[in-house]
Amino acid sequence: MYKCENCRAKKDFGDDVYLVESAYMERFLPTCSKECAKTIRDREIKKVKTIIDRMENTEIKKERW
């Protein structure tokens, strides 16, 4: 049994599952349909883009050790 990461629908063994790779964890997120999978994939891509944007706009700091 699993819960869809998007709509939180409960599914049983034998039901179809669509897996989306997580942006942060080394695991796959289960979803119940292609539509939910696309939503989760877009969310994960947005997370990564946010981090990249933050890194690109971060000032390089100089320190003395």
Side-chain angles (χ1 to χ4, degrees):
M1 186 167 121
Y2 74 93
K3 279 188 182 179
C4 175
E5 288 289 325
N6 185 49
C7 68
R8 308 307 291 168
K10 291 183 182 180
K11 296 293 181 174
D12 291 318
F13 292 107
D15 291 339
D16 289 338
V17 61
Y18 298 85
L19 300 173
V20 178
E21 190 170 359
S22 172
Y24 296 118
M25 301 172 279
E26 291 185 9
R27 70 181 191 107
F28 287 89
L29 307 171
T31 60
C32 65
S33 66
K34 282 191 176 184
E35 293 79 19
C36 284
K38 287 178 183 177
T39 301
I40 294 298
R41 182 183 64 194
D42 292 344
R43 183 188 75 187
E44 295 298 303
I45 290 170
K46 186 175 180 182
K47 286 179 186 178
V48 173
K49 284 182 178 179
T50 300
I51 292 171
I52 290 171
D53 289 343
R54 188 174 64 227
M55 289 177 70
E56 287 178 338
N57 295 320
T58 300
E59 178 183 329
I60 297 175
K61 297 179 182 182
K62 177 182 175 184
E63 290 186 7
R64 186 176 305 250
W65 288 8

